[in-house]
């Protein structure tokens, strides 16, 4: 058998794409390995969402050039968003690459490998897809408990900062029957949790009129016996319908956790971002969610230093962050992406000011996350046990329904089970009993 080593950057969708490619490669006789030294094929699955992600991958490609010089027969390819974004530029920057495979062309990986094995190099395969995505059951996961399930590809929105729609294309939802079948087969293979993935899962089905919508899909998945937990990411505030809120509240397997990127807490900035909702609308969704599910955990994404963001705009964001009290937030400095409208806008904020705003935001949010977690002290939480705690001998790690990392003492045979834990301690990063 030949061996493949995949290095994955970026979001959960990219990690799920890597699992799909691992499955495709297995059919070509490649087993996956964690040891790069024994790999015959090294694949770098890249992200373009911020400049930082691209520079990290470029750095890695530089290191891989050295490996390739040592071992001329090593096949080296780049795939994913940056492959689509930089196209032939990548072959110029990294001439040692055998192929560059765009994010909409991943299904063609087996043919590309064939060509390279026959002696081709510097292959460029980007642009719109020519083949349907491989079936969901192709994916080869190395975890046995929790699975990612991609339910849609692409995105029909046009947020002015975001490069993703131009790379991954417009929304394409998968057939709900295939998704349900895959979830059933995961349960048969003793998986207990699925996380439905899409750039905007709430828009699921909008491109398949007359068929199942997102709330309908949740209902069908909820009916699968043996599937303990259903999660999904990412949601878009403008597409959260009352039906989706009801599904979250009423379906027992759907966990009370929602990742709902707000991006900014000023209507002026939300308009410039072309997000399609106001702060007031966002607050209304939060209030409805909390009315129906007082224990729900709401997490978010926020960009600091978007072009045109005044000190006043930024202070509104901080005020909204405090008012809502998110359970957690992924916070980013605005990164101008070539080709997006925001990169061309007037009022670009200097790097130093973006960084300073980001630091202020992180400081406040970390305090809030800690307070939220401390609020759980004394409560009992249902925890799905993931494994041993590598930092604390004798302790296990798991996740609550609200997706909080939890640690507690216990025997290893609890791994894979759902247990009730009384919370006695909490930090910004973890809750549990220790
Ligand atoms: N600059 C900074 N952050 C960005 N994101 C997307 N594009 C950019 C950008 N150009 C953030 C958003 C999104 C998350 C995945 O990444 O907050 O929700
Ligand atoms: Fe980008 Fe907006 Fe689509 Fe998310 S929903 S991928 S932020 S365009």
């Amino acid at each position: 058998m030949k061996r493949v080593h995949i290095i994955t950057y970026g979001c959960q969708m990219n990690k799920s794409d890597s699992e799909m490619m691992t499955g495709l490669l297995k059919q070509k006789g490649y087993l996956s390995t964690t040891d790069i030294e024994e790999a015959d094929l090294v694949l770098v699955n890249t992200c373009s969402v911020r400049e930082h992600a691209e520079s990290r991958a470029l750095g890695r490609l530089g290191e891989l050039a050295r490996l390739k010089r040592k071992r001329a027969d090593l096949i080296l390819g780049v795939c994913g968003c940056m492959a689509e974004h930089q196209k032939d530029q990548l072959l110029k920057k990294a001439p040692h690459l055998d192929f560059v495979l765009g994010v909409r062309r991943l299904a063609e990986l087996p043919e590309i490998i064939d060509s390279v094995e026959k002696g081709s190099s510097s292959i460029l395969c980007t642009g719109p897809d020519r083949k349907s995505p491989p079936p969901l059951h192709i994916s080869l996961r190395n975890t046995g408990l929790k699975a990612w399930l991609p339910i849609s590809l692409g995105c029909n929105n046009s947020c002015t900062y975001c490069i993703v729609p131009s790379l991954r294309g417009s929304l394409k939802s998968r057939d709900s029957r295939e998704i349900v079948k895959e979830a059933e087969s995961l349960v048969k293979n003793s998986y207990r949790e699925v996380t439905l993935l899409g750039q905007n899962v709430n828009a699921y089905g909008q491109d398949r009129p007359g068929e199942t919508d997102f709330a309908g899909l949740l209902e069908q998945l909820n009916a699968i016996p043996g599937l303990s937990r259903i999660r999904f990411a990412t949601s878009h505030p403008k597409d959260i319908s009352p039906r989706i809120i009801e599904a979250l509240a009423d379906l027992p397997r759907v966990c009370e956790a929602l990742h709902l990127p707000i991006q900014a807490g000023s209507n002026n900035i939300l308009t410039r971002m072309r997000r399609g909702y106001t702060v007031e609308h966002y607050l209304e969704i939060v209030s409805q969610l909390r009315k129906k599910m007082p224990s729900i955990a709401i997490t978010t994404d926020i960009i600091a230093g978007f072009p045109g963001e005044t000190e006043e705009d930024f202070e509104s964001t901080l005020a909204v962050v405090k008012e809502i009290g998110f359970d957690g937030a992924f916070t980013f400095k605005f990164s101008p992406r070539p080709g997006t409208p925001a990169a061309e806008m007037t009022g670009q904020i200097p790097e130093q000011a973006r960084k300073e705003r980001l630091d202020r935001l992180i400081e406040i949010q970390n305090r809030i996350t800690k307070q939220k977690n401390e609020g759980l002290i004394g409560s009992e939480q249902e925890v799905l046990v993931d494994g041993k705690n590598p930092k604390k001998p004798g302790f296990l790690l798991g996740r609550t329904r609200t997706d909080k990392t939890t640690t507690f003492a216990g025997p290893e045979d609890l791994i894979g089970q759902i247990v009730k834990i009384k919370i006695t301690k909490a930090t910004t990063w973890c809750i549990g009993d220790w």
Side-chain angles (χ1 to χ4, degrees):
M1 281 304 248
K2 291 169 283 188
R3 302 271 171 177
V4 56
H5 179 81
I6 307 188
I7 300 164
T8 308
Y9 292 97
C11 63
Q12 293 174 334
M13 188 57 97
N14 253 25
K15 291 176 186 145
S16 161
D17 284 344
S18 289
E19 293 177 341
M20 182 268 282
M21 291 188 287
T22 306
L24 283 178
L25 287 166
K26 188 175 175 214
Q27 297 187 328
K28 292 239 42 102
Y30 283 86
L31 280 184
S32 130
T33 173
T34 51
D35 179 4
I36 196 166
E37 294 296 330
E38 67 168 22
D40 304 284
L41 164 62
V42 174
L43 202 52
V44 187
N45 191 7
T46 56
C47 166
S48 285
V49 77
R50 285 169 294 276
E51 195 184 345
H52 179 65
E54 289 203 339
S55 29
R56 275 176 61 213
L58 279 176
R60 197 63 192 266
L61 286 179
E63 289 166 26
L64 293 172
R66 281 199 292 280
L67 195 65
K68 176 109 180 161
R69 272 198 293 273
K70 269 200 318 207
R71 292 176 32 207
D73 57 341
L74 177 75
I75 303 179
L76 189 57
V78 174
C79 59
C81 289
M82 191 174 155
E84 183 59 42
H85 182 216
Q86 300 213 358
K87 300 190 174 68
D88 53 334
Q89 287 299 317
L90 257 182
L91 289 174
K92 289 193 189 117
K93 286 181 200 159
H96 52 291
L97 284 175
D98 292 297
F99 63 91
V100 170
L101 182 63
V103 70
R104 278 175 282 172
R105 305 294 288 273
L106 301 181
E108 289 165 62
L109 181 60
E111 289 93 308
I112 299 281
I113 298 295
D114 277 342
S115 310
V116 177
E117 284 177 347
K118 284 190 193 121
S120 305
S121 64
S122 305
I123 302 174
L124 182 65
C125 178
T126 56
D129 43 331
R130 299 220 185 126
K131 243 176 127 172
S132 315
L136 288 172
H137 64 76
I138 288 282
S139 289
L140 213 95
R141 304 171 172 88
N142 56 13
T143 58
L145 198 57
K146 306 199 278 193
W148 287 307
L149 209 49
I151 63 167
S152 62
L153 305 170
C155 176
N156 282 351
N157 296 325
S158 46
C159 308
T160 52
Y161 52 81
C162 188
I163 197 167
V164 174
S166 73
L167 306 177
R168 289 195 180 253
S170 54
L171 176 74
K172 284 193 202 77
S173 304
R174 285 188 176 260
D175 190 331
S176 61
R177 283 155 292 208
E178 190 198 356
I179 298 167
V180 171
K181 220 168 105 195
E182 178 66 0
E184 285 167 345
S185 129
L186 286 165
V187 169
K188 278 201 199 88
N189 288 303
S190 65
Y191 281 81
R192 304 207 61 180
E193 176 177 311
V194 297
T195 300
L196 311 177
L197 295 182
Q199 250 64 49
N200 172 9
V201 285
N202 310 131
Y204 173 83
Q206 285 175 7
D207 55 325
R208 290 174 168 261
E211 290 188 42
T212 314
D213 65 0
F214 184 59
L217 181 65
L218 289 177
E219 275 166 28
Q220 292 181 26
L221 292 167
N222 186 71
I224 299 176
L227 181 57
S228 306
R229 290 179 166 189
I230 302 166
R231 307 185 185 280
F232 51 87
T234 282
S235 291
H236 193 303
K238 93 180 155 43
D239 294 308
I240 289 273
S241 62
R243 257 170 73 73
I244 295 176
I245 297 181
E246 264 162 45
L248 252 168
D250 297 344
L251 302 174
R253 271 104 179 230
V254 178
C255 290
E256 301 75 38
L258 187 65
H259 186 65
L260 192 64
I262 187 170
Q263 310 297 4
S266 139
N267 285 335
N268 169 32
I269 297 302
L270 288 175
T271 306
R272 289 170 68 89
M273 289 178 164
R274 224 189 278 144
R275 286 287 287 172
Y277 55 86
T278 58
V279 173
E280 292 71 26
H281 179 66
Y282 191 98
L283 291 172
E284 179 55 32
I285 299 172
V286 170
S287 121
Q288 287 183 27
L289 288 165
R290 287 185 171 156
K291 203 157 70 201
K292 290 206 157 74
M293 289 160 280
S295 66
I296 192 171
I298 303 173
T299 51
T300 203
D301 290 348
I302 302 170
I303 299 176
F306 188 81
E309 184 185 75
T310 60
E311 174 60 25
E312 214 183 343
D313 288 321
F314 182 65
E315 278 170 19
S316 331
T317 296
L318 296 182
V320 170
V321 162
K322 287 183 198 155
E323 179 180 347
I324 293 179
F326 290 108
D327 286 79
F330 295 106
T331 50
F332 311 101
K333 262 184 312 193
F334 171 69
S335 169
R337 306 311 291 130
T340 60
E344 308 299 323
M345 282 179 185
T346 54
Q348 299 288 330
I349 313 279
E351 158 73 20
Q352 190 50 36
R354 278 182 276 158
K355 182 176 181 321
E356 184 248 345
R357 284 183 187 169
L358 179 68
D359 290 344
R360 283 159 68 195
L361 177 59
I362 292 174
E363 211 258 317
I364 289 173
Q365 182 55 48
N366 283 350
R367 235 175 20 232
I368 296 172
T369 305
K370 183 155 182 269
Q371 281 163 8
K372 283 261 153 186
N373 290 348
E374 284 168 351
L376 297 173
I377 292 177
S379 72
E380 240 189 18
Q381 299 285 325
E382 249 183 46
V383 175
L384 173 58
V385 186
D386 290 316
K388 292 194 279 187
N389 185 337
K391 292 191 189 140
K392 256 177 172 333
F395 280 73
L396 301 171
L397 276 180
R399 294 284 181 134
T400 61
R401 286 178 62 90
T402 50
D403 213 20
K404 304 223 179 230
T405 302
T406 312
T407 193
F408 54 95
E412 274 173 43
D413 57 8
L414 290 183
I415 294 170
Q417 301 199 33
I418 292 179
V419 295
K420 286 229 156 135
I421 301 295
K422 178 93 183 257
I423 306 303
T424 61
K425 285 213 174 96
T427 67
T428 302
W429 319 111
C430 190
I431 61 173
D433 186 16
W434 69 87

